[in-house]
């Protein structure tokens, strides 16, 4: 017995020992990584609700104190309740340990996602030493109404009554149970505002985003639980907006704590009423008129009569069902438009008695808010303009048919304040008429509105002119993001012109996070596509040519750049066929490889290079050269996209096609005598170089000609909206960055400095200053491609096309004689990238920040390879930094994440 017992004792000791050892072992193997996983996003948004993507893309960022941090594997788990995810029960999806460095663009691959359901997820990663991180915090996403049949409400309106008036919709109801959750799904076109019990829901304005309503109508989803009480009033105002008629469709879905549900829907038979109110007229171009005498306090907050819906005193009528706009209801996947800034203008002048003109000192998009006291019926008008006449009053000629005038009629009850709800203007000056006294500073404020995308870029250097140009470009882009990339915010246009966008995209991507904005906008372009593959010049299509100008490579770039910048692979899969058929269409329009049509080409060059003073077509750059060049470019992009999605057949077909077009281009436009393309002008030569279509043995002659032409024009550009980008880029890349710099820093016409010297705060549409009634916008992004030149060349941050989502990128700054320093940053999807350089005596200091889970190829400027130090140590001693090669005046290294200060000789 004894024996047995002692044997048992020994066995248990042995067992405990094994356990301890095994645990120690496990602990040794399962060492915890010091990396934090955070900033979880789903479809590029933090905890989105109302999503209708069946396989949403997930991303996260890593943060670590150590250098050269990378992820070698990840695991994602998804559950349908917070309890389950807390206990690591992945009943929707467990990706398992996936050996990959991908931390962006990871598509959900679990159990099918259901309408209105909320899902919770978290992620952990393994680092390069196979150390495992902790789980991230829990994030969630919630699906919207995935099927059209989930929409049980109807489109409502007022029938033939009150045409073109802003409609006021109202519905009252009671709730007698505890609410667990409540969601309001709403589509009100043109624009709507939603109130519950008197409070506006959300801080968005001019919602929903613009689409072709016959193809798609965007709906928004709001969590309204905290707004509901026992007795409730819903109020919705709906305005014509862009070019819609007023229609509303909405449903409020309430889940009660006892497990029951209630859905309130718009329809002609569910107790909704409609009327008109103080917004007497509202038009996006002409402005808004508000008669405060017509206000009915409590219309959206009070229940007054038992039979409230038929409260005839207030003119309420039953709503009627109206014809649907025709398009599918689709979740609004981009950031809504919001007020992003408010300023108090300081300059108020009185050019004529009783006429006040406010100078906001900044051209912008938005509106003015008013604070005023006066007698009932006093009428105030605000006229918006970009420029003034000699006499100091506003000049609205260049707004063409847009009246751009807001009117406010006082109700006379003490201090009143007002701002419009459903219009916006592009302006710097406001002319105030009818004000009962001289307005003082603060009576009129100015609100900037745009799609509330985040700013992601900064740039500064020792040349104030370049800083002002940078600011001018950013302000112009910011004034033209209103759910579509508009051409201008002020005149009777405000359309998404695809020719402008072709060169605008790069600059915009460095300055703003457009991951969601472009994913929405490419759908707008696709909506214009016909069966033959052609798209239209503007999207959504209102006017412009059909088919679009072949320079509209922006359709492809929206997908391609969203992939490169944001690792968005879904966008390629979804749009591949559409993109390809646009290229096929262009190919069908070739004769001997040359595209047979063009409308704008390199649009709007300096006037003496235009066909005639009344035209914006270039006289020296053949339209067919531009069209054919872009066919080559697009067909190359399709070949790359095909490779990305594993379609090797298309990859080689389109490669072959680009070769055929390149040959035709060279046959048609190369001039052996001059050694240049077409007329041997700046546009044709720089475009050919950009396309990489120039045979090796001709490159030098083309570059020399380009330089000669710039010199001949006294270091001024002769290019239009497209080739200005290629001119600066090609001069820089082919060894003439100082010449590019001279063009960039010109102050005389035509140049950005000239615009600034003439008072511009945003870019003009023409290189000339003009104020008449033609093509004279003063807030036009198409001339702003210099914005990406600052990032790509001056501070040198460039994505790598083979490593989407900035998992690898380049920092290749060019050092300019005239500059002492340049600094900037770009908040990439992986984290903030910084690059700055400064000249010292006989040296250059280059400081960079490389985000976790990325790798940078850094071009360190130096005249002496051996002189380079990194963080004050000999660079060769730092193991995270690998020497790759030396190129003229640069030593090229591969560098992992971290902050580094490089110092090198520079004589
Ligand atoms: C737009 C431009 C566009 C042009 C093409 C103009 O009305 O404002 O941005 O490039 O049309 O014709």
């Amino acid at each position: 017995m004894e024996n047995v017992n002692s044997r048992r004792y020994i066995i248990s000791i042995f067992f405990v020992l094994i356990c301890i050892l095994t645990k120690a072992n496990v602990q040794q193997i399962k060492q915890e990584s010091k990396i934090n996983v955070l900033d979880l996003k789903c479809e590029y948004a933090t905890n989105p609700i109302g999503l209708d993507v069946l396989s949403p893309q997930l991303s996260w960022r890593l943060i670590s104190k150590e250098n050269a941090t990378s992820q070698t594997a990840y695991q994602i788990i998804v559950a349908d309740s917070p309890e389950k995810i807390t206990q690591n029960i992945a009943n929707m999806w467990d990706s398992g340990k996936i050996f990959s460095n991908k931390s962006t663009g990871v598509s959900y691959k679990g159990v099918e996602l259901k309408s209105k359901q909320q899902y919770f997820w978290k992620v952990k990663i393994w680092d390069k030493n196979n150390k495992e991180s902790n789980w991230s915090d829990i994030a969630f996403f919630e699906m919207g109404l995935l099927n059209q049949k989930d929409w049980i409400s109807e489109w409502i309106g007022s029938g033939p009554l009150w045409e073109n008036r802003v409609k006021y919709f109202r519905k009252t109801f009671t709730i007698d149970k505890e609410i667990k959750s409540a969601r309001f799904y709403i589509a009100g076109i043109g624009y709507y505002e939603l109130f519950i019990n008197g409070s506006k829901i959300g801080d968005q304005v001019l919602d929903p985003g613009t689409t072709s309503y016959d193809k798609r109508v965007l709906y928004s989803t709001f969590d309204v639980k905290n707004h509901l009480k026992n007795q409730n009033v819903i109020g919705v105002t709906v305005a014509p907006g862009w070019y819609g008629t007023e229609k509303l469709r909405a449903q409020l879905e309430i889940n009660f704590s006892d497990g029951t549900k209630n859905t309130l829907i718009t329809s002609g038979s569910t107790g909704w009423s409609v009327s008109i109110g103080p917004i007497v007229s509202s038009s996006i171009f002409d402005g808004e008129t508000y008669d405060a005498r017509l206000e009915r306090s409590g219309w959206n907050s009070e229940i007054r009569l038992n039979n409230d819906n038929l409260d005839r005193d207030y003119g309420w009528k039953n709503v009627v069902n109206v014809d649907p706009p025709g398009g599918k209801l689709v979740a609004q996947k981009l950031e809504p438009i919001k007020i992003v800034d408010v300023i108090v203008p300081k300059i108020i002048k009185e050019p004529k008695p009783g006429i006040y003109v406010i100078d906001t000192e900044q051209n912008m998009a938005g509106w003015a808010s008013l604070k005023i006291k006066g007698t009932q019926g006093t009428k105030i008008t605000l006229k918006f303009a970009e420029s003034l006449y000699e006499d100091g009053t506003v000049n609205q000629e260049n707004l063409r048919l847009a009246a751009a005038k807001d009117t406010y009629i006082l109700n006379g009850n003490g201090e009143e304040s007002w701002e419009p709800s459903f219009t916006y203007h592009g302006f710097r000056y406001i002319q105030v008429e009818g004000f009962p006294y001289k307005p003082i500073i603060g009576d009129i404020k100015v609100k900037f509105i745009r799609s509330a995308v985040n700013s992601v870029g900064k740039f500064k250097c020792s040349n104030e002119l370049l800083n002002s140009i940078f600011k001018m470009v950013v302000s112009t882009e910011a004034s033209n993001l209103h759910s579509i990339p508009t051409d201008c915010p002020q005149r009777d246009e405000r359309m998404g012109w695809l020719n402008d966008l072709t060169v605008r995209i790069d600059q915009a991507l460095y300055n703003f996070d457009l991951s969601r904005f472009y994913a929405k906008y490419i759908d707008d372009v696709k909506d214009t596509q016909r069966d033959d593959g052609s798209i239209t010049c503007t999207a959504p299509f209102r006017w412009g040519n059909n088919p679009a100008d072949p320079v509209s490579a922006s359709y492809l770039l929206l997908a391609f750049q969203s992939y490169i910048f944001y690792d968005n692979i879904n966008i390629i899969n979804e749009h591949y066929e559409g993109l390809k058929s646009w290229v096929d269409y262009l190919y069908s329009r070739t004769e001997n490889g040359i595209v047979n049509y063009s409308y704008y080409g390199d649009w709007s060059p300096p006037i003496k290079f235009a066909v005639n003073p009344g035209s914006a077509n270039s006289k020296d750059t053949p339209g067919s050269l531009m069209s054919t060049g872009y066919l080559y470019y697009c067909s190359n992009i399709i070949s790359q996209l095909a490779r990305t999605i594993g379609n090797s057949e298309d990859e080689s077909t389109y490669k072959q096609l680009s070769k055929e077009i390149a040959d035709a281009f060279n046959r048609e436009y190369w001039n052996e005598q001059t050694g240049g393309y077409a007329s041997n002008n700046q546009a044709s030569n720089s475009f050919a170089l950009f396309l990489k279509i120039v045979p090796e043995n001709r490159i030098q002659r083309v570059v020399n000609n380009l330089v000669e032409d710039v010199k001949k024009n006294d270091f001024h550009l002769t290019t239009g909206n497209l080739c200005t980008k290629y001119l600066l880029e090609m001069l820089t890349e082919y060894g003439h960055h100082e010449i590019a710099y001279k063009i960039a820093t010109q102050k005389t016409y035509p140049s950005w400095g000239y615009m600034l010297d003439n008072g511009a705060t945003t870019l003009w549409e023409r290189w000339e200053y003009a104020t008449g009634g033609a093509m004279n916008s003063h807030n036009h992004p198409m001339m702003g491609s210099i914005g990406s030149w600052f990032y790509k060349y001056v501070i040198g941050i460039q994505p790598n096309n083979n490593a989407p989502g900035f998992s690898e990128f380049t920092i290749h700054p060019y050092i300019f004689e005239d500059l002492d320093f340049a600094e900037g940053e770009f908040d990439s999807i992986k984290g903030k990238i910084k690059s700055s350089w400064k000249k010292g005596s006989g040296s250059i200091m280059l400081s960079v920040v490389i985000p976790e889970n990325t790798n940078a190829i850094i071009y360190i400027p130096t005249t002496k390879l051996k002189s380079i130090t990194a963080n004050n140590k000999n660079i060769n001693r730092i193991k995270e930094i690998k020497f790759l090669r030396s190129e003229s005046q640069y030593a090229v290294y591969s560098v992992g994440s971290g902050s580094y200060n490089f110092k090198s000789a520079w004589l």
Side-chain angles (χ1 to χ4, degrees):
M1 204 53 193
E2 261 249 305
N3 244 348
V4 173
N5 266 345
S6 65
R7 215 178 305 140
R8 266 194 199 149
Y9 179 74
I10 290 169
I11 288 174
S12 13
I13 294 268
F14 184 67
F15 183 72
V16 168
L17 255 175
I18 290 216
C19 282
I20 291 172
L21 280 175
T22 321
K23 201 163 171 219
N25 221 4
V26 165
Q27 266 171 0
Q28 210 175 8
I29 293 169
K30 207 188 145 189
Q31 281 182 55
E32 274 184 10
S33 156
K34 297 259 158 49
I35 302 174
N36 283 322
V37 182
L38 37 80
D39 204 10
L40 274 62
K41 290 202 173 148
C42 174
E43 283 299 308
Y44 305 93
T46 307
N47 299 334
I49 64 169
L51 203 70
D52 67 4
V53 182
L54 292 176
S55 184
Q57 297 176 98
L58 307 174
S59 69
W60 54 92
R61 285 189 188 184
L62 308 184
I63 293 287
S64 156
K65 290 208 168 79
E66 282 168 16
N67 280 353
T69 293
S70 59
Q71 166 195 305
T72 52
Y74 67 83
Q75 182 177 9
I76 298 170
I77 58 173
V78 185
D80 61 3
S81 77
E83 294 78 27
K84 287 187 194 123
I85 200 78
T86 309
Q87 295 164 43
N88 297 344
I89 301 171
N91 69 324
M92 296 303 294
W93 187 39
D94 182 348
S95 70
K97 183 174 178 182
I98 305 288
F99 288 90
S100 161
N101 68 348
K102 259 180 112 53
S103 53
T104 51
V106 177
S107 296
Y108 171 84
K109 292 205 180 67
V111 178
E112 192 185 335
L113 301 169
K114 297 263 162 50
S115 276
K116 303 178 229 175
Q117 291 300 309
Q118 219 169 36
Y119 299 102
F120 301 85
W121 65 291
K122 57 189 183 182
V123 58
K124 69 177 168 190
I125 64 105
W126 285 260
D127 68 13
K128 60 176 188 279
N129 302 317
N130 202 26
K131 285 191 204 160
E132 188 176 331
S133 75
N134 288 326
W135 283 108
S136 67
D137 285 347
I138 297 165
F140 70 87
F141 57 92
E142 181 183 305
M143 307 312 282
L145 304 180
L146 294 177
N147 314 299
Q148 294 302 297
K149 67 175 181 350
D150 294 329
W151 283 92
I152 52 175
S153 54
E154 309 277 357
W155 284 99
I156 57 169
S158 60
L161 273 179
W162 303 313
E163 225 169 283
N164 290 325
R165 284 288 295 262
V166 171
K167 306 292 179 324
Y168 290 66
F169 293 93
R170 171 176 159 94
K171 157 93 186 140
T172 60
F173 62 100
T174 16
I175 293 174
D176 49 16
K177 287 196 259 184
E178 192 189 70
I179 299 173
K180 189 170 158 227
S181 68
R183 295 288 184 266
F184 208 105
Y185 302 96
I186 181 167
I189 50 174
Y191 297 135
Y192 73 89
E193 277 190 339
L194 165 65
F195 303 87
I196 295 181
N197 299 322
S199 313
K200 182 174 159 169
I201 304 301
D203 56 354
Q204 73 291 342
V205 297
L206 307 183
D207 207 53
T210 307
T211 52
S212 296
Y213 302 135
D214 57 336
K215 295 281 175 26
R216 276 175 314 119
V217 178
L218 303 185
Y219 72 89
S220 304
T221 306
F222 297 104
D223 176 354
V224 295
K225 180 182 165 192
N226 295 334
H227 293 273
L228 296 173
K229 308 187 294 199
N230 287 1
Q231 304 268 356
N232 297 285
V233 183
I234 300 174
V236 188
T237 42
V238 185
W242 223 59
Y243 50 106
T245 49
E246 317 80 40
K247 295 180 183 195
L248 171 66
R249 189 170 185 179
Q251 54 200 53
L252 167 60
E253 308 214 0
I254 309 175
N255 291 311
F256 297 106
S257 304
D258 66 5
T260 58
K261 293 176 186 207
N262 190 10
T263 303
L264 250 96
I265 58 167
T266 52
S267 91
S269 56
T270 45
W272 285 78
S273 20
V274 60
S275 187
I276 50 173
I279 307 179
V280 174
S281 68
S282 177
S283 136
I284 199 80
F285 297 137
D286 296 337
E288 198 156 294
T289 297
Y290 189 95
D291 187 343
R293 295 170 302 181
L294 303 179
E295 277 172 359
R296 317 127 177 237
S297 73
W299 76 274
N300 59 12
S301 61
E302 285 171 29
I303 298 181
R304 292 199 192 131
L305 300 176
N306 288 342
N307 196 359
D308 181 76
N309 292 332
L310 300 174
D311 180 359
R312 304 281 170 196
D313 291 349
Y314 286 86
W316 294 104
K317 305 254 186 275
N318 276 336
V319 300
V320 294
N321 288 349
V322 293
D323 285 342
K328 260 176 62 175
L329 279 155
V330 172
Q332 175 153 287
K333 57 179 150 190
L334 82 166
E335 297 83 346
I337 299 176
K338 292 188 182 179
I339 296 168
V340 294
D341 203 3
V342 182
I343 60 161
V344 181
K346 302 280 180 306
I347 305 175
I348 306 176
K349 293 194 173 150
E350 191 176 358
K352 290 187 175 168
I355 294 188
Y356 305 101
V357 173
I358 295 172
D359 181 357
T360 69
E361 300 177 74
Q362 174 63 52
N363 204 344
M364 41 84 65
W367 58 63
S369 71
L370 207 64
K371 197 172 76 188
I372 190 169
K373 250 183 178 170
T375 50
Q376 192 174 70
T378 307
K379 192 172 171 179
I380 316 293
T381 56
L382 306 173
K383 292 181 184 159
F384 297 85
E386 295 186 306
S387 55
L388 298 177
Y389 288 117
E390 293 267 289
D391 68 3
T393 58
V394 292
N395 177 349
Q396 292 189 311
E397 284 174 41
N398 68 334
L399 311 188
R400 304 193 304 216
L401 296 177
K405 181 174 104 177
D406 289 346
T407 304
Y408 180 74
I409 303 168
L410 275 72
N411 68 18
N413 294 336
E415 189 172 281
E416 299 174 40
S417 44
W418 176 78
E419 61 193 271
S421 302
F422 299 119
T423 188
Y424 77 98
H425 311 287
F427 64 101
R428 168 173 172 166
Y429 303 99
I430 311 164
Q431 182 160 310
V432 185
E433 295 174 27
F435 222 83
Y437 44 89
K438 182 173 175 163
I440 57 164
I441 291 171
D443 281 350
I444 291 166
K445 292 186 183 159
V446 165
K447 306 201 170 174
F448 290 58
I449 65 133
R450 64 166 164 82
S451 292
V453 294
N454 285 334
S455 293
V456 291
K458 285 187 186 152
F459 171 81
K460 205 170 126 190
C461 68
S462 55
N463 182 327
E464 278 312 320
L465 172 59
L466 290 184
N467 295 340
S468 302
I469 295 173
F470 174 77
K471 184 164 176 263
M472 175 164 72
V473 173
V474 177
S475 302
T476 313
E477 185 61 36
S479 319
N480 283 287
L481 294 170
H482 293 100
S483 79
I484 60 170
T486 55
D487 56 339
C488 53
Q490 74 298 78
R491 68 181 177 214
D492 55 350
E493 198 158 346
R494 311 185 196 182
M495 294 196 295
W497 278 92
L498 294 178
N499 60 330
D500 299 354
L501 191 62
T502 292
V503 289
R504 182 180 160 187
I505 276 187
D506 267 17
Q507 165 276 115
L509 285 165
Y510 278 108
N511 286 315
F512 295 97
D513 172 2
L514 298 170
S515 50
R516 299 165 64 193
F517 189 96
Y518 281 166
K520 178 264 179 184
Y521 188 59
I522 195 172
D523 292 343
D524 294 331
V525 182
K526 169 71 188 157
D527 282 348
T528 74
Q529 193 162 39
R530 299 202 170 168
D531 289 347
D532 64 2
S534 63
I535 54 172
T536 53
C537 265
T538 57
F541 186 61
R542 188 151 157 265
W543 47 267
N545 283 300
N546 181 5
D549 191 302
V551 305
S552 302
S554 44
Y555 182 23
L556 281 87
L557 290 173
L558 284 165
F560 185 67
Q561 294 290 51
S562 294
Y563 174 63
I564 299 304
F565 272 70
Y566 309 124
D567 204 2
N568 186 342
I569 186 81
N570 281 4
I571 206 169
I572 299 180
N573 284 316
E574 249 170 69
H575 288 279
Y576 182 73
E577 289 304 324
L579 301 173
K580 199 169 95 169
S581 52
W582 168 232
V583 176
D584 291 346
Y585 175 79
L586 291 178
Y587 186 56
S588 77
R589 297 292 307 265
T590 54
E591 285 159 28
N592 297 323
I594 300 299
V595 179
N596 65 7
Y597 78 103
S598 160
Y599 315 118
Y600 319 119
D602 188 30
W603 185 242
S604 202
I607 208 84
K608 79 170 184 199
F609 301 99
V611 171
N612 60 57
S615 160
N617 283 108
S618 165
K619 76 177 162 58
D620 298 323
T621 314
S624 62
L625 174 142
M626 296 304 298
S627 297
T628 307
Y630 277 112
L631 170 57
Y632 165 80
Y633 182 58
C634 290
S635 143
N636 245 328
I637 294 178
I638 290 290
S639 171
Q640 289 176 61
L641 296 182
R643 188 178 59 223
T644 306
I645 57 170
N647 183 339
S648 52
E649 197 180 318
D650 277 4
E651 183 188 347
S652 67
T653 307
Y654 287 89
K655 204 173 212 118
Q656 191 48 40
L657 177 70
S658 11
K659 198 178 165 311
E660 181 187 328
I661 304 300
D663 290 346
F665 186 100
N666 274 305
R667 224 175 24 241
E668 184 76 14
Y669 302 111
W670 172 250
N671 183 331
E672 183 55 34
Q673 246 100 58
T674 60
Y677 285 84
S679 67
N680 198 19
N681 67 342
Q682 293 177 16
S684 309
N685 284 337
S686 60
F687 187 44
L689 287 169
F690 168 78
L691 294 172
K692 299 202 171 20
I693 217 168
V694 185
E696 198 58 40
N697 59 352
R698 293 178 185 163
I699 290 180
Q700 203 48 55
R701 285 178 79 197
V702 178
V703 172
N704 293 347
N705 277 323
L706 188 58
V707 170
E708 280 316 304
D709 194 88
V710 174
K711 287 186 180 156
K712 196 172 84 198
N713 285 285
D714 198 17
F715 298 97
H716 287 84
L717 51 79
T718 64
T719 43
N721 65 346
L722 302 174
C723 291
T724 298
K725 173 173 157 72
Y726 311 132
L727 174 68
L728 291 186
E729 293 193 353
M730 291 307 106
L731 285 168
T732 309
E733 289 192 8
Y734 284 96
H736 298 282
H737 60 283
E738 293 296 348
I739 293 186
Y741 186 87
K742 277 196 170 165
I743 297 173
T745 52
Q746 274 299 349
K747 285 190 161 184
T748 47
Y749 166 83
S751 68
W752 295 279
Y754 174 77
M755 291 186 191
L756 286 164
D757 268 3
N758 282 278
T761 55
T762 45
L763 298 152
W764 302 338
E765 182 176 21
R766 316 285 307 231
W767 292 111
E768 298 75 36
Y769 180 75
T771 53
M775 227 186 91
N776 296 314
S777 152
H778 292 190
N779 197 344
H780 227 77
M782 73 182 187
M783 294 304 195
S785 57
I786 187 171
S788 47
W789 184 75
F790 294 129
Y791 289 100
K792 286 169 79 172
Y793 301 98
V794 184
I795 55 167
I797 300 175
Q798 297 209 12
N800 176 342
N801 285 357
N802 296 316
F806 282 83
S807 51
E808 184 172 291
F809 59 92
T810 299
I811 295 189
H812 182 169
Y814 284 78
I815 309 299
F816 296 90
E817 258 170 45
D818 182 53
L819 291 184
D820 299 327
F821 76 90
E823 62 187 39
E825 61 185 50
F826 168 65
D827 200 1
S828 80
I829 186 158
K830 296 276 190 327
K832 201 168 269 180
I833 300 170
K834 290 191 183 184
S835 165
S836 61
W837 57 264
K838 198 167 75 192
K839 289 180 188 160
S841 63
S843 65
I844 291 271
M845 179 79 115
L846 172 67
S847 302
V848 299
V849 174
I850 315 297
E852 286 79 355
N853 205 25
T854 70
N855 192 67
I857 305 300
I858 304 192
Y859 284 66
I860 302 177
T862 188
T863 40
K864 205 157 136 217
L865 188 59
K866 293 226 166 87
S867 65
I868 306 175
T869 60
N871 298 347
N872 293 324
K873 289 189 201 132
N874 181 332
I875 194 163
N876 300 325
R877 296 234 192 92
I878 300 186
K879 67 174 188 320
E880 297 94 9
I881 301 183
K882 268 201 271 31
F883 176 73
L884 298 178
R885 60 187 177 274
S886 66
E887 281 182 21
S888 71
Q889 308 239 301
Y890 288 100
V892 188
Y893 290 86
S894 167
V895 184
S897 69
S899 300
Y900 302 94
N901 295 314
F902 304 107
K903 196 171 172 194
S904 56
W906 187 258
L907 301 169

